């Protein structure tokens, strides 16, 4: 299975964080537990813990991102690490030799960790296979493959609201074909033992044989939302309308846009999530995004705690610090 | 040079030779497969005890690095690698550097080949200029310069009108068209078979219909134009069915398959192994089995190496950004025999035919068979010598083999081209 060996060191500790696939339930629970202890750091007068003091982290973003990069940066700073932000256009590194040259240059600057976002699936695995022994790699999104820190912050958010994963039915709605968030969430929910994972979308946005990842596929919104505890909406890129995948935003919203009316199909205490940024009126109605069921802003703040937990774990920094003093 | 090969078993299934014979070679020809000719005095005796003497292999598709480039992977090196597998004839598709689309380039390639003196090279000429899918090449002149067929290589001709005219014109030149069937629009930017694996890995996918639609379109035009056609490197079970049906209906079509697609499936790319980034893509296990069934019932006649050497940089990147292709020429013979040992119903004899006389027949060349007065292109094979494939020991400049670490039974010990010993591992 992907990354099964490469992510863990010989003692089974987290070395790289590349994909949810290949990680087991105790490890995911540990990440969530650690994040719990970091969640309040941001509320202190001094928003820092010294866990990664003296460590240098490089944010390698081969694809533009504001939100994810910023939360990684904040997480690193709260752990007292030094952080380098590098926006490298994919154009300049479309040849492997240049990419590996970039990596070796950064190694020579004595970086300890690379946080990588890249437009191509498998990029984080590739980089992890190339870097020197002492460097850890965290995947901040690779192509359509995985976005594992997003999935963990989603799991963290779900756990805060719903106690037991085993009782949950979760619907993931939208452009699953192009979504790394969907793939990571499908794996995470299955590893954590969710009762049922559903995906909802038109045939053009559901990749072939997705059932084999352990999901139930629905093409009708109302049916797919029936009695679910959690709805995870996916962002719909506007460029999807340019090809033959979808006709118009309007039609998409009519069929798959999340409205309060549609949400009636779900359980009364359903929570609504979205990885952001939101396209209001395309995949989700403003009334829902800002409504009582929405936990979208909580997701953002949980993102920092989750990334602190993962960064400290791959650096071996939480072996004894599981309970940081609050 | 006079060579005598003694004590071996000669196996040339297309003309029913399968027994212990001595082989006498002089002036580039096999002069006797029976008795020692009067007055024959050999310069070299080879003892082939417990070994099998086979016709030199005919590889119906192999790319030999950048033939036109000095600094890149040299042709001679790749041919040396081919000789290690007993290959003495190799058909080169037109989509190499430089594109084989003018008589001058054909002559240049032929000169390079004869300088190397390591294999007979049979180039395919381009169907369209610069493979642009728009204007026809000078097919008649390409044929006169030595092209044995025409093809647009791996580059699809999108315009169906152009494809029709290209077929018609090839027919008028009495040339076989070699078709790599792939619809570029459906393929889009795909890099892996559309299925559970590409979905899990998030890799842009190539559906089976990329192949089957292109085959269907070509078959209808073959029917209309009556051109002689060969389908290159089938990858899908459904594609095999379409060819089987067409043959049943009397169309003059043949097909081949790449050795990789007989052994590997999309599961093999599951850790983003870029050495399994191939063209055509590795499909699923049902496809693999149906390709072997196609070989057994002769829907697919030939097996090619589809050799594509790459330097390390071309394979060192996130999967989608790596170059497609595998370095395979060195192990074509043991790999096809491996299929016969493990694939139900595919015999040793059929395996040998698929890399000797059958591809020779498709190419219209007098190769792939051992008989008196035939060209002395042959190899000696030790069925008991095992080989461990180690990418670092490949002769090819491309170390991109997906079979690294495999252990195979049987190995070529000698290769003779035009009556000269060009490879000897003993």
């Amino acid at each position: 299975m992907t990354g099964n060996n490469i992510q863990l060191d010989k003692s089974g500790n987290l070395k790289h964080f590349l994909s949810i696939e290949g990680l087991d339930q105790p490890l995911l629970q540990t990440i969530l537990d650690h994040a719990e202890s970091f969640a309040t750091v941001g509320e202190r007068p001094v928003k820092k813990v010294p866990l990664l003091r003296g460590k240098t982290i490089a944010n390698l973003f081969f694809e533009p991102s504001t939100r994810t990069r910023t939360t990684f940066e904040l997480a690193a700073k709260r752990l007292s690490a030094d952080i380098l932000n590098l926006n490298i256009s994919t154009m300049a590194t479309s040849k492997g030799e240049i990419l590996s040259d970039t990596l070796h240059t950064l190694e020579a600057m004595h970086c300890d960790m690379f946080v990588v976002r890249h437009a191509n699936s498998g990029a984080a695995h590739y980089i992890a296979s190339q870097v020197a022994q002492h460097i850890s790699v965290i995947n901040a999104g690779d192509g359509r493959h995985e976005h594992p820190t997003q999935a963990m912050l989603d799991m963290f958010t779900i756990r805060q609201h719903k106690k037991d994963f085993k009782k949950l039915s979760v619907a993931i709605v939208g452009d699953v074909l192009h979504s790394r968030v969907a793939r990571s969430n499908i794996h995470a929910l299955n590893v954590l033992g969710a009762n049922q994972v559903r995906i909802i979308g038109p045939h053009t946005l559901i990749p072939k044989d997705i059932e084999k990842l352990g999901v139930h596929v629905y093409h009708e919104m109302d049916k797919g939302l029936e009695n679910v505890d959690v709805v995870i909406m996916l962002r719909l890129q506007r460029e999807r309308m340019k090809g033959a995948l979808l006709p118009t935003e309007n039609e998409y919203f009519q069929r798959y846009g999340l409205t309060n009316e549609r949400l009636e199909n779900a359980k009364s205490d359903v929570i609504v999530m979205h990885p952001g940024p939101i396209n209001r009126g395309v995949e989700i109605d403003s009334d829902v995004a800002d409504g009582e069921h929405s936990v979208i802003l909580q997701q953002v703040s949980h993102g920092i705690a989750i990334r602190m937990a993962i960064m400290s774990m791959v650096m071996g920094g939480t072996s004894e610090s599981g309970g940081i003093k609050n | 040079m006079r060579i005598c090969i003694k004590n071996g078993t000669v196996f040339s299934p297309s003309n029913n030779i399968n027994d212990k014979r001595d082989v006498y070679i002089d002036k580039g020809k096999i002069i006797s497969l029976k008795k020692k000719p009067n007055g024959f005095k050999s310069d070299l005796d080879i003892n082939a005890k417990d070994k099998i003497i086979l016709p030199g292999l005919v590889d119906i598709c192999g790319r030999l690095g950048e033939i036109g480039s000095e600094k890149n992977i040299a042709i001679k090196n790749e041919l040396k690698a081919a000789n290690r597998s007993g290959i003495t004839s190799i058909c080169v598709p037109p989509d190499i550097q430089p594109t084989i689309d003018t008589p001058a380039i054909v002559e240049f390639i032929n000169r390079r080949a004869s300088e190397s003196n390591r294999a007979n090279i049979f180039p395919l000429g381009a169907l369209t200029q610069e493979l642009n899918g728009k204007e026809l090449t000078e097919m008649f002149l390409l044929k006169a310069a030595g092209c044995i067929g025409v093809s647009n290589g791996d580059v699809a001709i999108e315009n169906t009108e152009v494809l029709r005219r290209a077929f018609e014109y090839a027919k008028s030149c009495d040339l076989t068209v070699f078709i790599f069937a792939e619809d570029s629009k459906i393929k889009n930017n795909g890099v892996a078979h559309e299925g559970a694996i590409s979905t899990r890995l998030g890799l842009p996918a190539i559906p089976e219909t990329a192949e089957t639609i292109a085959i269907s379109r070509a078959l209808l035009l073959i029917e209309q134009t009556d051109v002689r056609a060969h389908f290159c490197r089938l990858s899908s079970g459904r594609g095999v069915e379409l060819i089987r049906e067409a043959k049943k209906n009397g169309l003059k079509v043949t097909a081949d398959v790449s050795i990789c697609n007989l052994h590997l499936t999309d599961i093999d790319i599951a850790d983003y192994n870029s050495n399994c980034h191939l063209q055509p893509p590795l499909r699923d296990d049902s496809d693999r089995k149906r390709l072997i069934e196609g070989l057994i019932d002769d829907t697919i006649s030939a097996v090619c190496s589809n050799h594509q050497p790459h330097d390390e940089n071309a394979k060192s990147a996130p999967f989608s950004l790596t170059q497609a292709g595998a370095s395979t020429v060195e192990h074509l013979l043991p790999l096809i025999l491996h299929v016969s040992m493990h694939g139900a119903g595919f015999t040793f004899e059929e395996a040998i035919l698929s890399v000797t006389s059958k591809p020779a027949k498709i190419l219209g060349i007098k190769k792939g068979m051992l008989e008196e007065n035939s060209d002395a292109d042959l190899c000696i094979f030790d069925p008991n010598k095992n080989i461990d494939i180690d990418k670092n020991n490949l002769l090819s400049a491309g170390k991109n083999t997906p079979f690294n670490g495999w252990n195979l039974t049987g190995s070529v010990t000698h290769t003779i081209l035009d009556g000269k010993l060009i490879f000897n591992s003993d």
Side-chain angles (χ1 to χ4, degrees):
Chain A
M1 287 289 135
T2 314
N4 204 5
N5 300 324
I6 194 173
Q7 295 198 83
L8 305 177
D9 68 14
K10 280 177 192 149
S11 336
N13 295 317
L14 201 61
K15 162 78 181 156
H16 304 292
F17 191 67
L18 309 173
S19 59
I20 301 291
E21 192 185 14
L23 302 180
D24 62 11
Q25 193 180 116
L27 188 68
L28 298 195
Q29 294 286 8
T30 307
I31 293 170
L32 297 176
D33 293 343
H34 283 317
E36 205 90 56
S37 63
F38 286 121
T40 52
V41 172
E43 292 156 20
R44 297 185 202 169
V46 178
K47 298 182 180 61
K48 280 202 182 206
V49 289
L51 278 172
L52 297 189
R53 182 185 290 156
K55 301 283 186 191
T56 305
I57 297 171
N59 263 341
L60 297 181
F61 278 61
F62 296 88
E63 194 183 68
S65 151
T66 312
R67 180 180 298 236
T68 304
R69 204 205 63 219
T70 312
T71 53
F72 269 107
E73 191 175 338
L74 261 179
K77 284 180 172 164
R78 289 193 181 159
L79 291 165
S80 310
D82 295 318
I83 185 134
L84 278 170
N85 277 315
L86 295 140
N87 292 313
I88 310 155
S89 93
T90 310
M91 291 301 286
T93 56
S94 59
K95 282 187 177 178
E97 55 186 330
I98 302 173
L99 175 52
S100 60
D101 279 352
T102 309
L103 298 176
H104 296 315
T105 307
L106 288 164
E107 275 173 27
M109 293 176 190
H110 302 290
C111 287
D112 301 287
M113 189 193 301
F114 294 157
V115 176
V116 180
R117 169 166 288 193
H118 198 286
N120 289 101
S121 302
H125 281 84
Y126 168 72
I127 288 169
S129 75
Q130 295 290 308
V131 295
Q133 192 64 36
H134 69 278
I135 292 177
S136 289
V137 176
I138 293 181
N139 184 5
D142 63 323
R144 307 172 181 183
H145 178 228
E146 285 223 33
H147 192 353
T149 60
Q150 176 72 41
M152 290 315 296
L153 75 88
D154 289 348
M155 296 308 111
F156 188 80
T157 308
I158 293 172
R159 199 172 79 163
Q160 296 241 311
H161 290 269
K162 313 276 173 193
K163 293 278 158 332
D164 188 358
F165 280 96
K166 291 184 183 64
K167 292 180 181 156
L168 298 183
S169 290
V170 181
I172 301 172
V173 185
D175 183 4
V176 177
L177 176 65
H178 298 93
S179 176
R180 50 195 173 213
V181 175
R183 282 175 182 73
S184 283
N185 272 326
I186 288 167
H187 289 305
L189 288 162
N190 281 322
V191 170
L192 291 169
N195 175 44
Q196 200 178 59
V197 184
R198 304 176 184 181
I199 57 169
I200 309 173
H203 285 84
T204 48
L205 298 181
I206 305 292
K208 199 177 174 205
D209 293 339
I210 186 89
E211 298 85 354
K212 291 187 180 159
L213 294 187
V215 299
H216 299 262
V217 179
Y218 291 80
H219 302 294
E220 296 303 325
M221 189 70 165
D222 288 342
K223 212 160 175 231
L225 291 178
E226 256 172 41
N227 287 320
V228 296
D229 303 275
V230 179
V231 182
I232 300 173
M233 298 302 296
L234 300 172
R235 179 177 159 77
L236 187 75
Q237 306 277 352
R238 287 207 152 87
E239 68 240 33
R240 305 290 172 235
M241 313 298 164
K242 288 180 193 151
L245 292 168
L246 291 173
T248 60
E249 290 179 5
N250 178 42
E251 173 149 325
Y252 183 79
F253 185 72
Q254 295 295 323
R255 288 192 75 194
Y256 297 104
L258 188 63
T259 58
N260 274 325
E261 196 188 342
R262 285 227 161 93
L263 207 52
E264 299 274 308
N265 291 289
K267 288 210 179 124
S268 58
D269 62 346
V270 65
I271 57 169
V272 174
M273 302 167 66
H274 192 298
I278 301 170
N279 289 316
R280 289 167 187 266
V282 179
E283 68 258 1
I284 190 166
D285 196 40
S286 280
D287 288 347
V288 180
D290 306 327
E292 54 173 334
H293 297 286
S294 170
V295 295
I296 294 170
L297 284 177
Q298 292 171 37
Q299 287 175 269
V300 179
S301 62
H302 294 158
I304 299 165
I306 277 289
R307 282 157 187 143
M308 287 173 77
I310 292 163
M311 284 172 148
S312 56
M313 280 173 76
V314 297
M315 288 278 100
T318 52
S319 47
E320 292 128 85
S321 64
I324 302 165
K325 294 184 182 84
N326 291 317
Chain B
M1 180 182 242
R2 294 175 171 202
I3 302 175
C4 175
I5 307 168
K6 288 180 174 171
N7 308 320
T9 299
V10 176
F11 189 61
S12 178
S14 60
N15 53 339
N16 299 311
I17 297 180
N18 180 14
D19 49 19
K20 284 212 162 150
R21 294 173 186 223
D22 293 341
V23 182
Y24 298 91
I25 295 166
D26 189 17
K27 296 193 182 78
K29 298 279 182 192
I30 294 175
I31 56 166
S32 175
L33 277 168
K34 289 181 189 137
K35 285 190 299 186
K36 183 175 175 179
N38 284 338
F40 183 90
K41 246 185 111 180
S42 59
D43 305 305
L44 174 68
D45 284 334
I46 300 171
N47 183 3
K49 192 171 181 298
D50 300 327
K51 293 178 186 170
I52 302 169
I53 300 153
L54 299 170
L57 268 58
V58 179
D59 186 355
I60 201 164
C61 180
R63 292 176 172 83
L64 305 170
E66 290 190 25
I67 291 182
S69 157
E70 294 294 334
K71 69 175 166 60
N72 214 299
I73 298 165
I75 181 172
K76 196 166 179 177
N77 217 37
E78 297 314 305
L79 292 177
K80 259 188 185 175
N83 296 154
R84 204 176 183 183
S85 203
I87 293 167
T88 52
S89 294
I90 189 160
C91 177
V92 180
D95 52 350
I96 56 169
Q97 287 299 323
T99 305
I100 309 175
D101 62 353
T102 65
I105 291 165
V106 179
E107 280 155 22
F108 170 72
I109 287 168
N110 285 340
R111 200 167 59 242
R112 277 278 170 102
S114 67
E115 282 164 10
S116 81
N117 210 5
R118 291 204 151 262
N120 308 295
I121 304 240
F122 297 100
L124 294 179
L127 263 180
T128 58
Q129 295 172 28
E130 296 169 345
L131 308 171
N132 65 10
K134 290 175 186 153
E135 297 110 346
L136 302 187
T137 53
E138 298 170 326
M139 290 184 215
F140 179 76
L141 296 177
L142 285 169
K143 184 181 180 184
C147 285
I148 52 154
V150 278
S151 169
N152 222 54
D154 286 1
V155 186
I157 295 177
E158 285 174 10
N159 185 327
T160 310
E161 158 74 0
V162 174
L163 192 66
R164 174 200 165 170
R165 298 304 179 197
F167 282 8
E168 282 178 338
Y169 197 78
K171 160 85 180 167
S172 76
C173 299
D174 193 27
L175 281 163
T176 305
V177 289
F178 288 69
I179 303 157
F180 176 71
E182 189 175 69
D183 185 302
S184 56
K185 294 289 185 191
I186 299 186
K187 181 190 181 188
N188 199 2
N189 59 351
V191 292
H193 171 61
E194 183 174 78
I197 301 290
S198 61
T199 290
R200 191 163 65 77
L201 295 175
L203 290 172
I206 307 171
E208 176 193 87
T209 47
E211 177 165 291
T212 51
I213 286 173
I215 290 176
S216 303
R217 180 179 75 144
L219 284 172
L220 291 168
L221 291 174
I222 291 161
E223 191 178 45
Q224 185 187 14
T225 59
D226 197 36
V227 71
R228 199 167 54 237
H230 175 75
F231 285 88
C232 308
R233 306 184 291 286
L234 298 185
S235 70
S236 71
R238 187 77 186 94
V240 177
E241 281 172 23
L242 290 169
I243 302 292
R244 184 177 289 132
E245 195 62 27
K247 287 180 112 163
K248 207 189 281 173
N249 294 337
L251 281 196
K252 293 182 286 186
V253 292
T254 50
D256 71 59
V257 61
S258 157
I259 189 69
C260 292
N261 294 68
L262 297 177
H263 282 293
L264 308 170
T265 66
D266 58 349
I267 288 176
D268 292 291
I269 64 169
D271 59 348
Y272 294 109
N273 178 1
S274 63
N275 286 330
C276 290
H277 180 191
L278 304 179
Q279 165 92 329
L282 295 171
R283 298 197 183 271
D284 66 25
D285 202 47
S286 145
D287 291 302
R288 189 187 68 83
K289 286 181 177 140
R290 287 190 284 166
L291 287 166
I292 293 174
E293 284 166 18
L295 270 174
I296 292 169
D297 72 6
D298 203 36
T299 302
I300 298 173
S301 309
V303 176
C304 66
S305 70
N306 196 19
H307 182 63
Q308 178 67 274
H310 284 303
D311 63 23
E312 220 170 295
N313 285 333
K315 286 290 187 183
S316 183
F319 192 88
S320 300
L321 300 178
T322 58
Q323 303 282 316
S327 178
T328 46
V329 77
E330 231 155 313
H331 302 110
L332 179 61
L333 183 56
L335 282 169
I336 189 61
L337 293 177
H338 196 71
V339 178
S340 77
M341 280 182 258
H342 300 278
F346 186 57
T347 63
F348 179 81
E349 178 178 329
E350 283 163 337
I352 297 301
L353 288 169
S354 74
V355 288
T356 55
S357 61
K358 283 184 175 181
K361 194 176 168 202
I362 293 164
L363 297 171
I365 56 174
K366 283 186 181 162
K367 300 284 180 188
M369 188 199 284
L370 299 178
E371 60 183 345
E372 278 171 24
N373 293 318
S374 73
D375 294 339
D377 294 351
L378 50 92
C379 66
I380 304 173
F381 174 76
D382 183 344
N384 301 311
K385 188 176 170 186
N386 290 354
I387 46 167
D388 295 313
I389 300 180
D390 176 351
K391 66 182 165 83
N392 299 312
N393 294 338
L394 295 185
L395 293 176
S396 169
K399 309 302 177 194
N400 50 309
T401 172
F403 301 106
N404 190 39
W406 281 41
N407 179 272
L408 300 172
T409 309
S411 181
V412 172
T413 58
H414 300 76
T415 303
I416 291 171
L417 172 76
D418 195 25
K420 289 183 279 285
L421 182 66
I422 52 169
F423 170 73
N424 178 5
S425 73
D426 278 1

